[in-house]
Structures are given as structure tokens and as C-alpha cells.
Amino acid sequence: MFPYKKYLRLDKFPHIWCTGCGCGIVMKAMLRAIDRAGIQKDDVAIVSGIGCSSRTPGYLDFNTLHTHHGRAIAFATGLKLAKPRLKVIVVTGDGDATAIGGNHFIHAARRNLDMTVLLYNNHIYGMTGGQVSPTTPFGKKASTAPYGSTEPDFDISNLAIAAGAAFVARSTCYHATQLDKLIEKALLKKGFALIEVLTQCPTYYGRPNRLGSAVDMLKYYKENSIPVETARKLSPEEIKGKITIGVLHDIERPEFCEEYQKLVDRVRIKNE
Amino acid sequence: MRKIALMTGNEACAEAAIVAGMRFFAGYPITPSSEIAEVLSRRLPEVGGVFIQMEDEIASMGAIIGASLAGVKSMTATSGPGFSLMQENIGYASMAEVPVVVVDVQRGGPSTGLPTLPSQADVMQARWGTHGDHPVIAVAPATVQETYEWTIKAFNLSEKYRVPVILLMDEIVGHLNEKIVIPERSEIEIINRKLTTDPPEKYLPYKITEDDIPPIAHYGTGYRFNVTGLSHDESGFPTNDPVKIDALYRRINRKIERYKNEIISYKTELLDDAEVCLVTYGSTARSAKRAMYEARAAGIKVGLFQLYVIWPFPYEKLRELAVRIKKFIVPEMNLGQIAHEVECATRTEAIKVNRVDGSPVTPGEILEQIRHVSV
């Protein structure tokens, strides 16, 4: 059994998440990844915004910063630039990162600032009671989309790739053992790394859309996910409705902190 | 040796911030504050600091809070519309008690308002711009020299009391080129935040101490604490306990209220025998001073009360003055934001001299009111 207790603030339990929620699965995968990557607790800063996912840092024994809705990446940008040796992890949700925080998300990806963004995508605003989010699929119901959503949804991973992220991977709460390996890779990557995790919300997304229990939703992830290597061999029709999982994108790009340090060195040499 | 220089208020602000120890600036371009960002984009790398142009003002404010929590003195600069966007995270800095300096080089509003024309219309936004009960410190220089001095003092106040401090400049002060005497480093007082001496296992980031100002620890130094914008207890974790919530809100407000006599700062001139008092701040103080001298030359007993610190406001001092001053005149580049506070303090009707057309209040307009009330 992995020694989770080493990384938990045990006095903060029980947690606030609903029965069957996927948040705990992602949190545990992150702890396994941090442990395997060999990063010390004092060197990790976890920054979050507002929402169910954003309550994660409160339970964890690291440097933790719980900010405003959508602003985690903005706070994390300052924190990282002021102390580049910190391993900065942003824990966020689909609404937090791509609705109210969409601008910060794409610009951090564009800058290729060294941070790992762990995005719990449950297709809904859970904490406020099940309102429609930018990733609620077309036609699916929410408390503010009682007749079904009439908006197309964001493909978050593709958004990050287009914006300039160095590393992008997708997984689901069913694929927990794959998930920690992907997070570990993201942590070791120099640059902006996004892990999009499809996370079941049986309470506010599953219930109005008659998707069954948490187990049923996890089964759905199991049956509808295909590895990216397989997906690349299939036609667009064949992968329609499927969840492509694995490392979607991994490139080398100049990283912001390093580039800024080079600039400082250049300017200081010139002035000496 | 003291140096004499010719510079604008915006340049003086940027240079003074570096002297104060500021090593992180995040901002978004907006007239008439942009020169502060431009100067710092050149100067900060020279001193090993970081400059970043963010995607908006909300992000700028978030980034400086993040950097300050890592232990680096941080600042942003903006104007009215951007100041509106920053309010969300100014509230966060108040709640989480993070020292930062926010420069607002004012222009007219609401909305996009008056780009590149002066105004003093953000005085109330500085006080009440964000929601909830929280303390505020806002300071307002009238000259380039005062901008230099009050930028450093803004950092000192922020560090000492763990609060965001608003430096309320205006377009005239920001863009004015004038002579400035740069003091020697030994003459400048620099205050740094009080760091905890508790071991990590005993550290409480919001410990209730005798002085009401909890000692700070920085991220990445072995203190694995939590910071949140939610109402929190001494340990920094969210709480719904009414006793703890009440203790938090009362303490963060009390920590400014109890020290207000140390924070409040103003300059008086020729007030001893005055029957009329000009209450003024920012660049308008320059016009007021000229009007005062002209009135004195005409034999009218008028004096000057120039606010350096606007919030907290010196209600008690003005109340004392009201015992013998017959009339208070408040010239402002707004429709009477501080005049209202003067009326609250003095319990008398203040004479307002207002301009909201992007032009400065002239000495002549103030003089006219001085003559009018002195008949």
C-alpha cells in the first residue's frame, strides 16, 4: 500500500467531496506521481482556484495556496517566477480553468511557463450545484441547461496544444494507474504541462443525465477510451465519441523562467 | 551624495520601488501608467528582478500576490479601468494579508473614461472597491519628489501591516517632468515584513498576536502552510466557526484602526491663524497652495491641509480644526469624494471646487471660492 498518509494533512479529513466523486482518485494519483518523481514536500507548491477540484490542496501537506475562481494560474505564475526552484502544480477544474480562467490558461501555455496543470474535467460546475460548464457536451443536461446544452464544448487538451503547451496528456479516473505515470511525466517535463483527467461527478452530472452510479460512469470511461497510439490509426468517424488517452503532445520549447534568467544574465553582464 | 535629477512621476515611482526592494512587477498596459511598466521592464533585469506583462489586470494582481508569498516585494501599476479589474484580488490580498503595492495613476471614469487626462475619481474605489469589511491604506503624492518618497513609504506600510497599499497618483503627477532630489540610501528607511521565528511545526500563519500583525513565512522555506481567500482560522484553513470568523474580521480591521495615528500623514501650512482651510491631495494640492498664497497676499487668512495618506482618513484632526476654522474648501478632480469625508469629520458643509472635464482645478477657481466665503 502506498504511504498516502505521508502526504496528507490528516486533521483536515473527512473531505467535502460527495460519495463516488473522482477528485480523490486524481489526488491519490498525484501523490504517487510526486513520490515517484522524488520531489520533496518542501519543494512542492500546489495552487488552486475555486471548485470541487480546487479543495484538493487543503488536504495535502505541501506549500498550498487556494485562490480565487479562475485565478490559480495567475497566482502560480508569480509564485514560480519569484521562486523558480519550486515545483508548482495547479489543481483546477473545467469551469475554473477554461471559463473564468480561460485567459490565464492559454497565456501560461503560450509562455510555456514551467508548471504542471492538473485539470479535473467533470463536465459540470459541481460545487455550485451542477450548472452547465464549457465542457458540458452538446445536448447534456445541467441545472442551468434543463433542456440540454445548446453549446459545443471545449476540447481542453487541444486548446492547450494550440496555445503552446509543451506537454499535454489525457486520462480518466478509471485509468488511475496510467494517470499517475502521466502526472509523473508532466512533473519531470520542463515547461507548461497539462494533464486533463475525465472525472466522474455522479451527483451533479451523472444524475440529471441518467448516467448511473459512479461505477457505471467509470465503466463508461473504461469502454469508451482508446490509447492515443490506436486513435492515430483510426479515421475521424471511428474515433467519434471516444476518449483519446495517453500522451497527446510532447515537444521541446524554450521555457519562460529559463529564458528570463538568460535575459537577466545578459543584461547584467552588459552593465558590469 | 544626494543626486539631482529631472524625471516624471511615473519614472520616480519605478525607481523608488526598486530602492524600496521591489523585485517583482506584473502589469498590463494602460495610460497614463504605462511608463512605470516600461521603465521596470528595463530596470528590473538589471537588478536581478522579474518583470512580466500579464494578459490582464486580474492576472497582474494575482501574480504579484503569488510572488509576495514567495518572499519577493511586488508591485503592479494601472489606471482606473484596470484598477476596477484588480479589485477582486486586492480583496484577496486584504483577506490573506499579503503585502503588495498597487499604483493607480488616475484618469477619469466610470468605464474607459478619460484616457490621458487627469482625475482623482478613484479615491472611493481605493477605499470601497472590493466587497466585504476590510482595511485600506491609500497614499497620494502631489509632486515628483513626493512620488519618490511615498512609493518607498507605500512599501514600508505594506510590509509593516501586511496589507495591500494603494499609491494614488494622477495623470498630472505621473507625466509631470520636474526636479527631484534623490536622497542617499542611508537617509531612506526601508521596512521589511516581520518573519516568524517559530519552528515550522508550530507556525500559525494567522496567529493572533499581541500586535495583531501575524509574523510571515515564505513558501518554499520549510513552512508548509495554507493560504486561502476563505475566512480562515489561525492555522490558515477555512472555518465556519462564528467565533473564529469574527476574530479574523475584527483583527484585520483592528490592525489598521489601532495604528492609524502612526499611518495617517498630512502636511499643514499657515493654519495657525486660518479662518479658511483648504483640504487637498494629489496634484490639486499644487493649485490649492498657489491659491492660498494669493489669498494671503490679499489679506485673507487661509491655510492648507494636504493629505499624504488618504485612507485611513484623519477624521479626528479635522474635527479638532473645525472648532476654530470657519470654512473648509475641498478642491478635487471629481464630484466631491473627499469633500464628503471632510463634512463627516467637521460636521459642517464643505465648499466643493470640482472639475470632471479632464482639466486640473485652477488656482483661480479655488481663489474665487476663498474670496466668496471670506466676504
Side-chain angles (χ1 to χ4, degrees), chain A residues 75-105:
Chain A
F75 280 66
T77 298
L79 181 55
K80 178 70 185 176
L81 285 169
K83 204 160 263 187
R85 69 170 176 77
L86 283 176
K87 179 55 71 180
V88 174
I89 303 171
V90 171
V91 173
T92 181
D94 42 296
D96 196 48
T98 67
I100 191 164
N103 205 24
H104 314 310
F105 180 73

PDB file of all heavy atoms in Angstrom, chain A residues 75-105:
ATOM      1  N   PHE A  75      -1.788  33.402 -10.018  1.00  0.00           N
ATOM      2  CA  PHE A  75      -1.041  33.383  -8.750  1.00  0.00           C
ATOM      3  C   PHE A  75       0.209  32.502  -8.907  1.00  0.00           C
ATOM      4  O   PHE A  75       1.297  32.851  -8.447  1.00  0.00           O
ATOM      5  CB  PHE A  75      -1.907  32.829  -7.615  1.00  0.00           C
ATOM      6  CG  PHE A  75      -2.896  33.799  -7.015  1.00  0.00           C
ATOM      7  CD1 PHE A  75      -3.958  34.294  -7.750  1.00  0.00           C
ATOM      8  CD2 PHE A  75      -2.787  34.202  -5.692  1.00  0.00           C
ATOM      9  CE1 PHE A  75      -4.891  35.171  -7.192  1.00  0.00           C
ATOM     10  CE2 PHE A  75      -3.711  35.075  -5.118  1.00  0.00           C
ATOM     11  CZ  PHE A  75      -4.763  35.560  -5.865  1.00  0.00           C
ATOM     12  N   ALA A  76       0.017  31.347  -9.555  1.00  0.00           N
ATOM     13  CA  ALA A  76       1.121  30.395  -9.714  1.00  0.00           C
ATOM     14  C   ALA A  76       2.243  30.990 -10.560  1.00  0.00           C
ATOM     15  O   ALA A  76       3.417  30.692 -10.342  1.00  0.00           O
ATOM     16  CB  ALA A  76       0.603  29.106 -10.350  1.00  0.00           C
ATOM     17  N   THR A  77       1.873  31.838 -11.514  1.00  0.00           N
ATOM     18  CA  THR A  77       2.874  32.487 -12.364  1.00  0.00           C
ATOM     19  C   THR A  77       3.808  33.350 -11.518  1.00  0.00           C
ATOM     20  O   THR A  77       5.037  33.285 -11.662  1.00  0.00           O
ATOM     21  CB  THR A  77       2.170  33.332 -13.447  1.00  0.00           C
ATOM     22  OG1 THR A  77       1.395  32.458 -14.270  1.00  0.00           O
ATOM     23  CG2 THR A  77       3.174  34.084 -14.315  1.00  0.00           C
ATOM     24  N   GLY A  78       3.234  34.139 -10.624  1.00  0.00           N
ATOM     25  CA  GLY A  78       4.057  34.982  -9.750  1.00  0.00           C
ATOM     26  C   GLY A  78       4.907  34.155  -8.803  1.00  0.00           C
ATOM     27  O   GLY A  78       6.093  34.419  -8.604  1.00  0.00           O
ATOM     28  N   LEU A  79       4.290  33.132  -8.247  1.00  0.00           N
ATOM     29  CA  LEU A  79       4.995  32.274  -7.290  1.00  0.00           C
ATOM     30  C   LEU A  79       6.189  31.582  -7.967  1.00  0.00           C
ATOM     31  O   LEU A  79       7.299  31.566  -7.438  1.00  0.00           O
ATOM     32  CB  LEU A  79       3.998  31.240  -6.755  1.00  0.00           C
ATOM     33  CG  LEU A  79       4.453  30.235  -5.713  1.00  0.00           C
ATOM     34  CD1 LEU A  79       5.042  30.928  -4.504  1.00  0.00           C
ATOM     35  CD2 LEU A  79       3.277  29.367  -5.284  1.00  0.00           C
ATOM     36  N   LYS A  80       5.959  31.049  -9.152  1.00  0.00           N
ATOM     37  CA  LYS A  80       7.019  30.325  -9.871  1.00  0.00           C
ATOM     38  C   LYS A  80       8.160  31.272 -10.262  1.00  0.00           C
ATOM     39  O   LYS A  80       9.339  30.937 -10.109  1.00  0.00           O
ATOM     40  CB  LYS A  80       6.420  29.667 -11.121  1.00  0.00           C
ATOM     41  CG  LYS A  80       7.428  28.929 -11.989  1.00  0.00           C
ATOM     42  CD  LYS A  80       7.931  27.663 -11.320  1.00  0.00           C
ATOM     43  CE  LYS A  80       9.031  27.002 -12.139  1.00  0.00           C
ATOM     44  NZ  LYS A  80       9.578  25.829 -11.449  1.00  0.00           N
ATOM     45  N   LEU A  81       7.802  32.451 -10.774  1.00  0.00           N
ATOM     46  CA  LEU A  81       8.839  33.390 -11.215  1.00  0.00           C
ATOM     47  C   LEU A  81       9.645  33.932 -10.037  1.00  0.00           C
ATOM     48  O   LEU A  81      10.831  34.216 -10.163  1.00  0.00           O
ATOM     49  CB  LEU A  81       8.210  34.539 -11.999  1.00  0.00           C
ATOM     50  CG  LEU A  81       7.764  34.176 -13.413  1.00  0.00           C
ATOM     51  CD1 LEU A  81       6.911  35.287 -14.012  1.00  0.00           C
ATOM     52  CD2 LEU A  81       8.974  33.911 -14.309  1.00  0.00           C
ATOM     53  N   ALA A  82       8.977  34.062  -8.882  1.00  0.00           N
ATOM     54  CA  ALA A  82       9.682  34.575  -7.710  1.00  0.00           C
ATOM     55  C   ALA A  82      10.565  33.498  -7.080  1.00  0.00           C
ATOM     56  O   ALA A  82      11.562  33.807  -6.428  1.00  0.00           O
ATOM     57  CB  ALA A  82       8.682  35.102  -6.685  1.00  0.00           C
ATOM     58  N   LYS A  83      10.205  32.233  -7.250  1.00  0.00           N
ATOM     59  CA  LYS A  83      10.985  31.132  -6.662  1.00  0.00           C
ATOM     60  C   LYS A  83      11.001  29.971  -7.642  1.00  0.00           C
ATOM     61  O   LYS A  83      10.309  28.965  -7.464  1.00  0.00           O
ATOM     62  CB  LYS A  83      10.378  30.727  -5.318  1.00  0.00           C
ATOM     63  CG  LYS A  83      11.360  30.054  -4.398  1.00  0.00           C
ATOM     64  CD  LYS A  83      10.895  30.095  -2.954  1.00  0.00           C
ATOM     65  CE  LYS A  83      11.522  31.235  -2.185  1.00  0.00           C
ATOM     66  NZ  LYS A  83      11.235  31.220  -0.755  1.00  0.00           N
ATOM     67  N   PRO A  84      11.821  30.067  -8.706  1.00  0.00           N
ATOM     68  CA  PRO A  84      11.769  29.070  -9.786  1.00  0.00           C
ATOM     69  C   PRO A  84      12.113  27.646  -9.346  1.00  0.00           C
ATOM     70  O   PRO A  84      11.748  26.696 -10.027  1.00  0.00           O
ATOM     71  CB  PRO A  84      12.808  29.585 -10.795  1.00  0.00           C
ATOM     72  CG  PRO A  84      12.962  31.036 -10.495  1.00  0.00           C
ATOM     73  CD  PRO A  84      12.735  31.167  -9.017  1.00  0.00           C
ATOM     74  N   ARG A  85      12.794  27.484  -8.217  1.00  0.00           N
ATOM     75  CA  ARG A  85      13.139  26.119  -7.811  1.00  0.00           C
ATOM     76  C   ARG A  85      11.927  25.339  -7.281  1.00  0.00           C
ATOM     77  O   ARG A  85      11.984  24.115  -7.141  1.00  0.00           O
ATOM     78  CB  ARG A  85      14.271  26.126  -6.786  1.00  0.00           C
ATOM     79  CG  ARG A  85      13.904  26.676  -5.452  1.00  0.00           C
ATOM     80  CD  ARG A  85      15.003  26.415  -4.409  1.00  0.00           C
ATOM     81  NE  ARG A  85      14.682  27.041  -3.149  1.00  0.00           N
ATOM     82  CZ  ARG A  85      13.796  26.566  -2.278  1.00  0.00           C
ATOM     83  NH1 ARG A  85      13.153  25.449  -2.524  1.00  0.00           N
ATOM     84  NH2 ARG A  85      13.549  27.206  -1.152  1.00  0.00           N
ATOM     85  N   LEU A  86      10.828  26.033  -6.999  1.00  0.00           N
ATOM     86  CA  LEU A  86       9.628  25.329  -6.538  1.00  0.00           C
ATOM     87  C   LEU A  86       8.987  24.571  -7.686  1.00  0.00           C
ATOM     88  O   LEU A  86       8.915  25.058  -8.816  1.00  0.00           O
ATOM     89  CB  LEU A  86       8.609  26.323  -5.971  1.00  0.00           C
ATOM     90  CG  LEU A  86       8.850  26.879  -4.572  1.00  0.00           C
ATOM     91  CD1 LEU A  86       7.786  27.916  -4.237  1.00  0.00           C
ATOM     92  CD2 LEU A  86       8.843  25.769  -3.526  1.00  0.00           C
ATOM     93  N   LYS A  87       8.509  23.377  -7.409  1.00  0.00           N
ATOM     94  CA  LYS A  87       7.715  22.613  -8.376  1.00  0.00           C
ATOM     95  C   LYS A  87       6.270  23.050  -8.175  1.00  0.00           C
ATOM     96  O   LYS A  87       5.674  22.792  -7.138  1.00  0.00           O
ATOM     97  CB  LYS A  87       7.902  21.114  -8.110  1.00  0.00           C
ATOM     98  CG  LYS A  87       7.136  20.185  -8.998  1.00  0.00           C
ATOM     99  CD  LYS A  87       7.379  20.386 -10.484  1.00  0.00           C
ATOM    100  CE  LYS A  87       8.749  19.951 -10.955  1.00  0.00           C
ATOM    101  NZ  LYS A  87       8.903  20.178 -12.433  1.00  0.00           N
ATOM    102  N   VAL A  88       5.758  23.773  -9.154  1.00  0.00           N
ATOM    103  CA  VAL A  88       4.426  24.356  -8.995  1.00  0.00           C
ATOM    104  C   VAL A  88       3.392  23.500  -9.725  1.00  0.00           C
ATOM    105  O   VAL A  88       3.521  23.227 -10.919  1.00  0.00           O
ATOM    106  CB  VAL A  88       4.396  25.813  -9.507  1.00  0.00           C
ATOM    107  CG1 VAL A  88       2.971  26.370  -9.464  1.00  0.00           C
ATOM    108  CG2 VAL A  88       5.317  26.691  -8.664  1.00  0.00           C
ATOM    109  N   ILE A  89       2.402  23.068  -8.967  1.00  0.00           N
ATOM    110  CA  ILE A  89       1.301  22.273  -9.526  1.00  0.00           C
ATOM    111  C   ILE A  89       0.007  23.064  -9.350  1.00  0.00           C
ATOM    112  O   ILE A  89      -0.288  23.534  -8.249  1.00  0.00           O
ATOM    113  CB  ILE A  89       1.175  20.912  -8.804  1.00  0.00           C
ATOM    114  CG1 ILE A  89       2.500  20.136  -8.879  1.00  0.00           C
ATOM    115  CG2 ILE A  89       0.019  20.095  -9.388  1.00  0.00           C
ATOM    116  CD1 ILE A  89       2.534  18.881  -8.014  1.00  0.00           C
ATOM    117  N   VAL A  90      -0.701  23.244 -10.448  1.00  0.00           N
ATOM    118  CA  VAL A  90      -2.002  23.908 -10.366  1.00  0.00           C
ATOM    119  C   VAL A  90      -3.085  22.838 -10.455  1.00  0.00           C
ATOM    120  O   VAL A  90      -3.082  22.021 -11.377  1.00  0.00           O
ATOM    121  CB  VAL A  90      -2.166  24.941 -11.503  1.00  0.00           C
ATOM    122  CG1 VAL A  90      -3.605  25.473 -11.541  1.00  0.00           C
ATOM    123  CG2 VAL A  90      -1.179  26.092 -11.326  1.00  0.00           C
ATOM    124  N   VAL A  91      -3.971  22.854  -9.478  1.00  0.00           N
ATOM    125  CA  VAL A  91      -5.088  21.916  -9.482  1.00  0.00           C
ATOM    126  C   VAL A  91      -6.341  22.723  -9.805  1.00  0.00           C
ATOM    127  O   VAL A  91      -6.649  23.699  -9.117  1.00  0.00           O
ATOM    128  CB  VAL A  91      -5.222  21.224  -8.113  1.00  0.00           C
ATOM    129  CG1 VAL A  91      -6.485  20.384  -8.066  1.00  0.00           C
ATOM    130  CG2 VAL A  91      -4.009  20.344  -7.840  1.00  0.00           C
ATOM    131  N   THR A  92      -7.035  22.330 -10.864  1.00  0.00           N
ATOM    132  CA  THR A  92      -8.141  23.158 -11.333  1.00  0.00           C
ATOM    133  C   THR A  92      -9.233  22.286 -11.941  1.00  0.00           C
ATOM    134  O   THR A  92      -9.073  21.072 -12.054  1.00  0.00           O
ATOM    135  CB  THR A  92      -7.592  24.208 -12.331  1.00  0.00           C
ATOM    136  OG1 THR A  92      -8.656  25.046 -12.777  1.00  0.00           O
ATOM    137  CG2 THR A  92      -6.963  23.562 -13.567  1.00  0.00           C
ATOM    138  N   GLY A  93     -10.334  22.920 -12.308  1.00  0.00           N
ATOM    139  CA  GLY A  93     -11.431  22.180 -12.925  1.00  0.00           C
ATOM    140  C   GLY A  93     -11.758  22.744 -14.296  1.00  0.00           C
ATOM    141  O   GLY A  93     -11.121  23.704 -14.742  1.00  0.00           O
ATOM    142  N   ASP A  94     -12.759  22.175 -14.952  1.00  0.00           N
ATOM    143  CA  ASP A  94     -13.082  22.633 -16.309  1.00  0.00           C
ATOM    144  C   ASP A  94     -13.641  24.058 -16.301  1.00  0.00           C
ATOM    145  O   ASP A  94     -13.268  24.879 -17.135  1.00  0.00           O
ATOM    146  CB  ASP A  94     -14.058  21.669 -17.003  1.00  0.00           C
ATOM    147  CG  ASP A  94     -15.176  21.168 -16.102  1.00  0.00           C
ATOM    148  OD1 ASP A  94     -14.859  20.476 -15.126  1.00  0.00           O
ATOM    149  OD2 ASP A  94     -16.349  21.480 -16.370  1.00  0.00           O
ATOM    150  N   GLY A  95     -14.502  24.374 -15.341  1.00  0.00           N
ATOM    151  CA  GLY A  95     -15.047  25.729 -15.279  1.00  0.00           C
ATOM    152  C   GLY A  95     -13.987  26.720 -14.846  1.00  0.00           C
ATOM    153  O   GLY A  95     -13.827  27.794 -15.431  1.00  0.00           O
ATOM    154  N   ASP A  96     -13.239  26.354 -13.807  1.00  0.00           N
ATOM    155  CA  ASP A  96     -12.192  27.207 -13.241  1.00  0.00           C
ATOM    156  C   ASP A  96     -11.148  27.574 -14.309  1.00  0.00           C
ATOM    157  O   ASP A  96     -10.786  28.739 -14.463  1.00  0.00           O
ATOM    158  CB  ASP A  96     -11.528  26.425 -12.102  1.00  0.00           C
ATOM    159  CG  ASP A  96     -10.697  27.273 -11.167  1.00  0.00           C
ATOM    160  OD1 ASP A  96     -11.180  28.323 -10.717  1.00  0.00           O
ATOM    161  OD2 ASP A  96      -9.558  26.857 -10.866  1.00  0.00           O
ATOM    162  N   ALA A  97     -10.694  26.582 -15.062  1.00  0.00           N
ATOM    163  CA  ALA A  97      -9.571  26.806 -15.981  1.00  0.00           C
ATOM    164  C   ALA A  97      -9.989  27.298 -17.351  1.00  0.00           C
ATOM    165  O   ALA A  97      -9.222  28.003 -18.014  1.00  0.00           O
ATOM    166  CB  ALA A  97      -8.756  25.516 -16.140  1.00  0.00           C
ATOM    167  N   THR A  98     -11.192  26.925 -17.809  1.00  0.00           N
ATOM    168  CA  THR A  98     -11.488  27.269 -19.208  1.00  0.00           C
ATOM    169  C   THR A  98     -12.638  28.251 -19.375  1.00  0.00           C
ATOM    170  O   THR A  98     -12.848  28.756 -20.463  1.00  0.00           O
ATOM    171  CB  THR A  98     -11.778  26.001 -20.056  1.00  0.00           C
ATOM    172  OG1 THR A  98     -12.994  25.394 -19.617  1.00  0.00           O
ATOM    173  CG2 THR A  98     -10.639  25.019 -19.982  1.00  0.00           C
ATOM    174  N   ALA A  99     -13.395  28.546 -18.302  1.00  0.00           N
ATOM    175  CA  ALA A  99     -14.409  29.602 -18.411  1.00  0.00           C
ATOM    176  C   ALA A  99     -13.803  30.864 -17.815  1.00  0.00           C
ATOM    177  O   ALA A  99     -13.161  31.639 -18.516  1.00  0.00           O
ATOM    178  CB  ALA A  99     -15.691  29.203 -17.688  1.00  0.00           C
ATOM    179  N   ILE A 100     -13.925  31.029 -16.511  1.00  0.00           N
ATOM    180  CA  ILE A 100     -13.451  32.271 -15.861  1.00  0.00           C
ATOM    181  C   ILE A 100     -11.934  32.408 -15.955  1.00  0.00           C
ATOM    182  O   ILE A 100     -11.411  33.512 -16.019  1.00  0.00           O
ATOM    183  CB  ILE A 100     -13.964  32.331 -14.403  1.00  0.00           C
ATOM    184  CG1 ILE A 100     -13.721  33.710 -13.797  1.00  0.00           C
ATOM    185  CG2 ILE A 100     -13.388  31.224 -13.534  1.00  0.00           C
ATOM    186  CD1 ILE A 100     -14.522  33.964 -12.539  1.00  0.00           C
ATOM    187  N   GLY A 101     -11.224  31.284 -15.995  1.00  0.00           N
ATOM    188  CA  GLY A 101      -9.762  31.359 -16.039  1.00  0.00           C
ATOM    189  C   GLY A 101      -9.166  31.082 -17.410  1.00  0.00           C
ATOM    190  O   GLY A 101      -7.959  30.873 -17.537  1.00  0.00           O
ATOM    191  N   GLY A 102      -9.999  31.077 -18.443  1.00  0.00           N
ATOM    192  CA  GLY A 102      -9.530  30.693 -19.772  1.00  0.00           C
ATOM    193  C   GLY A 102      -8.368  31.524 -20.282  1.00  0.00           C
ATOM    194  O   GLY A 102      -7.428  30.995 -20.893  1.00  0.00           O
ATOM    195  N   ASN A 103      -8.421  32.810 -20.009  1.00  0.00           N
ATOM    196  CA  ASN A 103      -7.358  33.693 -20.497  1.00  0.00           C
ATOM    197  C   ASN A 103      -6.011  33.360 -19.856  1.00  0.00           C
ATOM    198  O   ASN A 103      -4.983  33.279 -20.535  1.00  0.00           O
ATOM    199  CB  ASN A 103      -7.744  35.141 -20.199  1.00  0.00           C
ATOM    200  CG  ASN A 103      -7.080  36.125 -21.137  1.00  0.00           C
ATOM    201  OD1 ASN A 103      -6.693  35.770 -22.244  1.00  0.00           O
ATOM    202  ND2 ASN A 103      -6.950  37.351 -20.694  1.00  0.00           N
ATOM    203  N   HIS A 104      -6.028  33.131 -18.541  1.00  0.00           N
ATOM    204  CA  HIS A 104      -4.777  32.799 -17.844  1.00  0.00           C
ATOM    205  C   HIS A 104      -4.238  31.459 -18.340  1.00  0.00           C
ATOM    206  O   HIS A 104      -3.030  31.284 -18.493  1.00  0.00           O
ATOM    207  CB  HIS A 104      -4.999  32.758 -16.330  1.00  0.00           C
ATOM    208  CG  HIS A 104      -5.776  33.924 -15.806  1.00  0.00           C
ATOM    209  ND1 HIS A 104      -5.452  35.225 -16.125  1.00  0.00           N
ATOM    210  CD2 HIS A 104      -6.878  33.995 -15.020  1.00  0.00           C
ATOM    211  CE1 HIS A 104      -6.325  36.045 -15.540  1.00  0.00           C
ATOM    212  NE2 HIS A 104      -7.198  35.328 -14.879  1.00  0.00           N
ATOM    213  N   PHE A 105      -5.159  30.526 -18.570  1.00  0.00           N
ATOM    214  CA  PHE A 105      -4.788  29.176 -19.020  1.00  0.00           C
ATOM    215  C   PHE A 105      -4.047  29.232 -20.362  1.00  0.00           C
ATOM    216  O   PHE A 105      -2.950  28.690 -20.506  1.00  0.00           O
ATOM    217  CB  PHE A 105      -6.074  28.345 -19.137  1.00  0.00           C
ATOM    218  CG  PHE A 105      -5.888  26.925 -19.598  1.00  0.00           C
ATOM    219  CD1 PHE A 105      -5.331  25.975 -18.765  1.00  0.00           C
ATOM    220  CD2 PHE A 105      -6.290  26.533 -20.872  1.00  0.00           C
ATOM    221  CE1 PHE A 105      -5.176  24.653 -19.183  1.00  0.00           C
ATOM    222  CE2 PHE A 105      -6.131  25.221 -21.300  1.00  0.00           C
ATOM    223  CZ  PHE A 105      -5.575  24.286 -20.456  1.00  0.00           C
TER     224      PHE A 105
END
